[in-house]
Amino acid sequence: MNARREGGTARSRPTFLLVHGANSNAYAFAPLIAALTLAGHRALAVDLPGHGAQGNFPPSYQAPQDLAAFATAPSPVLAGTTLEDNARHVASVVRRMARQGPVVLVGHSMGGATITRVGNHLPDAIARLVYLSAFCCVRIRSILDCFLAPEGRTTLLPTIPSVGSPERTGVLRNNWRSADAGFLAKAKAAFAADYDDVAFRNALNTFEPDESASLINDDARGHPGTWGRIPRSYVRFTLDRSLPLALQNRMIKEADTATPDNRFDVHSLRAPHLGPLDPAPLAAVLAGLV
């Protein structure tokens, strides 16, 4: 990639395209984008379909909450959304960005499944794939299958109570605005165990209540002949209790086995699933890749 930067022109400089995970949105990357931008890098975060400005926040989710209505209100935007829908959306952004220079495609958590599918479609338009404690399926078919593997069974995600039935709402739904101390303790343990309470609540207030129920079952595997040609990096979050470190390591190993001539460049940060509270260390890792 350094050769592509020769001359230092704006067109030759890479741009980081950041893809969020479940129940999230582009705003979650604001601190990281600020850190990258202040260090002289270009970065953009994308909202996946049904998230961000298109997100679903039912009136029953507002205060005072109507929990009975919240548990049954169908989602008008996310029901039926597939991993392929996410991939097509991000691919359209990649194509436009690639006209301006190299694209470094970064996925966090379930965003890893999206960037893998984009890599299957556009291997020649992506300069590097970067997984931030993210799903990278090669032998394991789906996100759900990852959690059913021995390395994934210690995840704390199932301890967080959900709301309603996906058969009725069309989505996986959580009440992130709950004031229940037990719920908050479980969510913090899963996502941000080493954050102080103020920082955790700030992060929690960026979460969205709904996520497509389809995504965890869709085929998330990378194809060695396409995705497998793209240079890739993995940033392990070693304190992650949502996507356990053992599962991160297994996915790295299986990807490297599938493409032995194009192995992961691996980095590690002492951070929980949401990443380091201070974005500077993560920004430094990303900056070092270009």
Side-chain angles (χ1 to χ4, degrees):
M1 285 183 60
N2 287 338
R4 300 187 185 190
R5 292 197 303 168
E6 186 175 355
T9 64
R11 187 174 179 82
S12 68
R13 288 189 291 119
T15 301
F16 294 98
L17 179 59
L18 308 172
V19 180
H20 63 80
N23 300 102
S24 192
N25 48 57
Y27 177 75
F29 287 117
L32 179 59
I33 289 176
L36 288 168
T37 303
L38 290 172
H41 301 281
R42 303 194 300 189
L44 173 70
V46 62
D47 284 317
L48 293 175
H51 292 276
Q54 298 178 345
N56 179 44
F57 295 87
S60 53
Y61 187 55
Q62 308 302 320
Q65 290 189 315
D66 182 343
L67 296 180
F70 180 55
T72 58
S75 171
V77 293
L78 270 171
T81 299
T82 67
L83 186 57
E84 182 62 14
D85 292 329
N86 285 355
R88 288 176 179 171
H89 178 68
V90 174
S92 69
V93 180
V94 169
R95 291 188 184 97
R96 293 173 64 186
M97 292 180 66
R99 301 169 192 162
Q100 311 302 321
V103 178
V104 178
L105 186 57
V106 183
H108 172 241
S109 189
M110 280 177 59
T114 296
I115 70 170
T116 295
R117 289 283 288 259
V118 177
N120 287 341
H121 295 318
L122 298 175
D124 297 322
I126 302 166
R128 179 172 292 272
L129 294 168
V130 183
Y131 294 79
L132 307 180
S133 199
F135 290 94
C136 179
C137 298
V138 180
R139 292 188 61 189
I140 302 176
R141 179 185 178 278
S142 68
I143 291 169
L144 179 59
D145 291 335
C146 286
F147 286 129
L148 296 177
E151 297 84 354
R153 291 175 185 166
T154 60
T155 177
L156 295 185
L157 290 178
T159 69
I160 303 173
S162 59
V163 174
S165 166
E167 288 75 21
R168 185 161 188 175
T169 62
V171 293
L172 302 175
R173 178 167 288 166
N174 290 92
N175 183 13
W176 305 117
R177 291 178 177 166
S178 172
D180 179 78
F183 173 88
L184 294 172
K186 291 173 182 176
K188 183 179 179 183
F191 296 125
D194 69 337
Y195 284 29
D196 61 48
D197 288 342
V198 171
F200 171 64
R201 287 194 298 270
N202 287 345
L204 197 64
N205 274 293
T206 69
F207 285 23
E208 299 185 2
D210 290 352
E211 187 53 77
S212 169
S214 171
L215 300 184
I216 63 172
N217 293 298
D218 290 343
D219 191 337
R221 289 173 293 185
H223 301 156
T226 48
W227 160 87
R229 305 201 319 256
I230 307 168
R232 61 179 185 262
S233 300
Y234 200 104
V235 183
R236 306 186 316 158
F237 293 167
T238 62
L239 301 181
D240 197 332
R241 301 181 72 188
S242 292
L243 206 168
L245 184 60
L247 181 57
Q248 297 176 55
N249 289 337
R250 173 172 174 172
M251 292 187 291
I252 292 168
K253 181 178 180 180
E254 290 182 351
D256 288 350
T257 299
T259 59
D261 295 329
N262 181 31
R263 300 170 65 86
F264 263 116
D265 166 50
V266 180
H267 304 261
S268 299
L269 291 175
R270 184 175 173 81
H273 188 65
L274 295 185
L277 182 57
D278 177 359
L282 179 54
V285 170
L286 294 176
L289 302 178
V290 297

